[in-house]
Amino acid sequence: MKYFFLPDLLVIILSLIALAAIVIMINNIFQSKEWYSIVLSALGVLILLFFALRTPYCVKVTGDYIKVQSVIGSKRFEKTKIKIESITKKDLSDSYRVFGNGGFGGYVGRFRSPKLGNFKMMIVRQSDMIKITELGTGQVYIINYPKQLLPTSK
């Protein structure tokens, strides 16, 4: 079954600001006469659009796997090869972005925190989250997950 998540208010606000920046940069591409200004604006638009298209729009959960879907790419987790744990917004409090998007459309990319170490995050909402650890590699992922399917705390 597919599950969709409404973005946090902060994600919506940052997305509106980023969309305004895209409009300004596109306008600059057509109005500017300086080549470097055109190149920098085009690069900024491409980077912002890339991360917008990498933002997850739904999570598909079946008996065998969990799949985080975005317009460009997706990530599939086989349930037999992962460990699932509940996680809260507080667990992410000291996290910082290493590479990726920290608010425009969601939080996508590589992050680091003292508590979790290096991890990849693909969320639009800082609630209804789980921490997935791949059993073979130890790679940690934070994704949105339906509240009714969240593992219960011990």
Side-chain angles (χ1 to χ4, degrees):
M1 181 168 212
K2 287 186 179 182
Y3 298 91
F4 298 87
F5 300 91
L6 293 174
D8 289 329
L9 179 60
L10 179 61
V11 169
I12 293 169
I13 292 169
L14 292 173
S15 298
L16 291 173
I17 292 168
L19 288 173
I22 289 173
V23 169
I24 291 167
M25 286 186 278
I26 289 173
N27 184 50
N28 189 51
I29 291 169
F30 294 107
Q31 300 295 326
S32 181
K33 295 182 183 0
E34 304 295 334
W35 68 269
Y36 55 85
S37 180
I38 294 169
V39 169
L40 289 175
S41 293
L43 186 61
V45 168
L46 290 174
I47 289 170
L48 286 172
L49 288 177
F50 171 76
F51 282 115
L53 295 174
R54 291 284 298 160
T55 300
Y57 65 86
C58 78
V59 174
K60 183 176 181 181
V61 180
T62 70
D64 299 326
Y65 66 87
I66 301 167
K67 185 176 183 181
V68 180
Q69 295 185 246
S70 60
V71 175
I72 297 178
S74 63
K75 178 65 180 170
R76 183 177 163 140
F77 303 97
E78 298 294 330
K79 286 187 174 179
T80 59
K81 298 178 181 177
I82 60 173
K83 178 182 174 189
I84 299 174
E85 302 172 71
S86 292
I87 192 167
T88 65
K89 186 175 180 177
K90 185 179 177 185
D91 295 321
L92 301 175
S93 63
D94 291 331
S95 299
Y96 60 91
R97 180 180 59 240
V98 175
F99 178 77
N101 176 20
F104 173 43
Y107 303 90
V108 179
R110 296 178 183 273
F111 292 77
R112 179 162 180 71
S113 79
K115 185 173 184 177
L116 299 172
N118 293 319
F119 62 95
K120 295 179 181 177
M121 189 158 46
M122 299 173 279
I123 65 171
V124 295
R125 184 174 188 78
Q126 289 188 351
S127 61
D128 308 330
M129 299 181 295
I130 59 170
K131 173 183 157 187
I132 292 178
T133 306
E134 290 182 336
L135 297 177
T137 63
Q139 176 66 54
V140 174
Y141 293 86
I142 307 296
I143 67 166
N144 286 123
Y145 198 72
K147 187 175 274 187
Q148 64 269 26
L149 300 179
L150 287 172
T152 54
S153 300
K154 293 181 181 178

